[in-house]
Amino acid sequence: MIKFCKKCLYGDEHPLGIYIDEKGICSGCRIHEEKDTIDWNDRFDELQKLVNSYKTKDSYDCIVPITPANDSYFVLHTIINVLKLKPLVVTYNRYWNTKEGIWSLANLRRVFNVDILIKNVNIESVKRITRTTLIEHGNLNWHCLAGQTVFPVQCSVKYRIPLIIWGAIQGIEQVGMFRHTDNVEMTRRYRKDHDLFGQEAENLLSVFNDLNEEDIFEYLYPDSLELISAETRGIYLGNYIRWDPYTQHKKMQVLYGYRGANFLRTFDRYDHIDCQNYMGIHDWLKLLKHGYSKVTDQACREIRHGRMTRENAIAIVRKYEKIKPQISKELCKWLGIDKESLQ
C-alpha cells in the first residue's frame, strides 16, 4: 500500500526514491525546510569564490545548458549579470518545438547577447530512438533528456571549458535526495540512474529493434579519461541560491519579457512551453506509469513554498489529471506508429 506524505502529495513509490519519516513527512519536504534555515548569502559567497577561479580573459568562463523554457532565463541572468561570467550557451534541439519556444530562444539570445551552440541530431536517428524508447520503456522523451544532458559535457571536453553550470537538481527539489550543503555535482551515474531512468545510449542497442551505433553515437557520454583531461565539472545553482521557480519566472517576465503558455493538464504557465508533447502525451504516459503527472510535481512545489494548501492542491490535481491529451496524427506519422497504440 502506498504511503503518502502528510504535507505534500508525493507517495513513497516516487520513481526518484522518497522517504517518509515517522511523522508522515517526506524527505522532499524535509529538505525543502532547509531553505528557511540556510544562510543563502554565505552560500552565494561560496559560489562566487568557486566560479571566480574559472574566469579567463581569453575564452569562455563556463558552459551553460539551456532550453527555451524552464529556468534558463533565470540561470543566464544569474551567471551574466550577477556572477559576471562569460558563458558559452548550449542547447539540444528536441524537434517538438512550439511557436512559443522558438520565440523564447530567439528572445533569450537577443536579451542576453550570448553565443549559442545548438545540437541537431539527424531526424531519422531521433525517430528510431524515440520509437524504441516509447515501445520498450514507455518513454517518449528519452532522446530529449539524453541530448540535453550529454551535449554540454561533450562541449566541455571538445572546447576545453571545464565548468558547466546547471540550474536546480531535480533530486533535491522533488524528493530531497541530497542536502543543499552536500554540494552535489552532475555525474554520469546521476544522469543514467535518474535523468535517463537507467538507460544509457549504448543500452538501447538490441536485436529486438532497428537501432545501430550510428543512431546512438551523438548521445554517448565522454569516457573518464576525456573528462579528467578536460577537468570537466558540473555544478548546480540550486545548491547556492534559494530556488523558487514560480517567483523566478515572474521576475524574468518583468526583466526580459519571458512568456508563459496555457496547458490542458496543469495550472502552471511557465514550465515546458517549448515542447508540443511534454505536457501532453508525455505527461499522460507518466500518469499511467507512475500514478501521477507533472501537475502533482508543481502542486507539491507550491505547497512547500506556502502558496497552496494541501486540500486545494488535491482538488487541482484531480481536475487536471482527468483531462486526456489529444494525440496528434502528425506525431504518430512522425514516429511511424498507429494512433491506436497510444490510446
Side-chain angles (χ1 to χ4, degrees):
M1 183 175 179
I2 301 175
K3 185 178 180 180
F4 288 92
C5 176
K6 292 181 179 179
K7 185 174 182 180
C8 73
L9 307 183
Y10 283 140
D12 59 3
E13 291 189 355
H14 194 290
L16 292 182
I18 201 167
Y19 171 74
I20 297 179
D21 64 23
E22 65 280 358
K23 294 185 179 180
I25 306 301
C26 76
S27 50
C29 288
R30 290 301 187 202
I31 293 300
H32 182 84
E33 291 170 0
E34 287 186 344
K35 293 185 177 184
D36 296 326
T37 61
I38 290 175
D39 188 328
W40 291 106
N41 290 327
D42 285 349
R43 294 294 293 162
F44 190 82
D45 289 343
E46 185 178 340
L47 172 65
Q48 187 74 71
K49 292 177 183 177
L50 188 160
V51 300
N52 283 347
S53 65
Y54 286 92
K55 284 187 176 181
T56 174
K57 295 180 180 179
D58 303 322
S59 183
Y60 300 103
D61 300 320
C62 60
I63 288 174
V64 179
I66 62 128
T67 69
N70 298 344
D71 56 13
S72 298
Y73 276 70
F74 179 76
V75 170
L76 278 179
H77 166 76
T78 302
I79 288 170
I80 295 172
N81 298 324
V82 182
L83 295 172
K84 307 299 182 183
L85 299 174
K86 182 182 179 183
L88 173 62
V89 178
V90 300
T91 188
Y92 171 82
N93 182 9
R94 301 181 183 191
Y95 284 106
W96 300 324
N97 302 305
T98 63
K99 292 180 180 179
E100 293 87 353
I102 294 170
W103 179 91
S104 184
L105 182 61
N107 183 61
L108 180 147
R109 180 165 45 191
R110 178 183 63 82
V111 297
F112 291 108
N113 191 31
V114 289
D115 299 333
I116 299 182
L117 292 182
I118 302 176
K119 181 75 168 184
N120 292 287
V121 176
N122 78 84
I123 194 68
E124 294 305 320
S125 288
V126 172
K127 289 179 181 180
R128 283 192 288 270
I129 288 172
T130 304
R131 280 197 299 270
T132 297
T133 58
L134 177 60
I135 293 169
E136 297 182 5
H137 307 289
N139 194 329
L140 187 68
N141 211 43
W142 185 93
H143 88 91
C144 304
L145 294 169
Q148 69 192 30
T149 52
V150 77
F151 183 46
V153 181
Q154 293 168 342
C155 287
S156 172
V157 169
K158 181 176 181 179
Y159 298 110
R160 289 296 191 265
I161 305 172
L163 184 63
I164 306 173
I165 303 180
W166 306 81
I169 182 168
Q170 184 184 27
I172 290 180
E173 293 299 306
Q174 287 192 12
V175 300
M177 190 179 296
F178 313 101
R179 302 185 66 181
H180 296 87
T181 52
D182 288 337
N183 294 343
V184 171
E185 300 188 357
M186 200 276 195
T187 64
R188 179 202 305 269
R189 179 178 177 180
Y190 182 87
R191 173 181 180 263
K192 176 184 177 181
D193 290 348
H194 303 297
D195 291 333
L196 305 184
F197 301 101
Q199 299 298 322
E200 288 236 46
E202 51 267 41
N203 300 137
L204 299 181
L205 297 179
S206 167
V207 295
F208 300 106
N209 60 51
D210 60 351
L211 294 180
N212 56 55
E213 292 184 356
E214 292 182 357
D215 291 322
I216 67 162
F217 173 75
E218 297 292 355
Y219 300 93
L220 295 176
Y221 207 86
D223 64 39
S224 297
L225 290 178
E226 291 177 307
L227 297 172
I228 292 171
S229 176
E231 299 181 334
T232 299
R233 180 183 187 183
I235 67 170
Y236 293 94
L237 286 183
N239 284 328
Y240 303 94
I241 296 171
R242 193 182 195 281
W243 212 255
D244 183 350
Y246 179 81
T247 300
Q248 291 162 190
H249 278 130
K250 297 295 286 186
K251 184 177 181 179
M252 295 303 101
Q253 277 189 308
V254 174
L255 292 179
Y256 305 110
Y258 179 72
R259 297 176 182 175
N262 292 324
F263 298 105
L264 286 176
R265 293 179 47 78
T266 186
F267 61 91
D268 188 291
R269 299 188 67 252
Y270 303 114
D271 287 342
H272 307 291
I273 64 165
D274 55 326
C275 182
Q276 295 178 18
N277 298 315
Y278 192 92
M279 291 305 300
I281 181 61
H282 172 75
D283 192 55
W284 180 255
L285 290 172
K286 177 178 178 177
L287 177 64
L288 297 178
K289 288 193 299 180
H290 301 300
Y292 77 100
S293 62
K294 192 64 181 176
V295 67
T296 299
D297 293 327
Q298 294 164 337
C300 288
R301 179 196 72 202
E302 294 304 296
I303 291 171
R304 292 170 181 173
H305 282 284
R307 292 187 289 259
M308 188 180 292
T309 66
R310 191 175 190 274
E311 292 70 25
N312 287 340
I314 290 173
I316 288 171
V317 168
R318 286 175 176 170
K319 170 187 174 182
Y320 283 105
E321 284 190 340
K322 289 180 181 178
I323 302 173
K324 190 171 182 178
Q326 295 295 318
I327 303 172
S328 69
K329 293 180 180 179
E330 290 76 14
L331 172 62
C332 295
K333 183 179 179 181
W334 191 84
L335 289 173
I337 60 177
D338 294 329
K339 185 174 180 179
E340 289 71 21
S341 64
L342 286 178
Q343 298 292 348

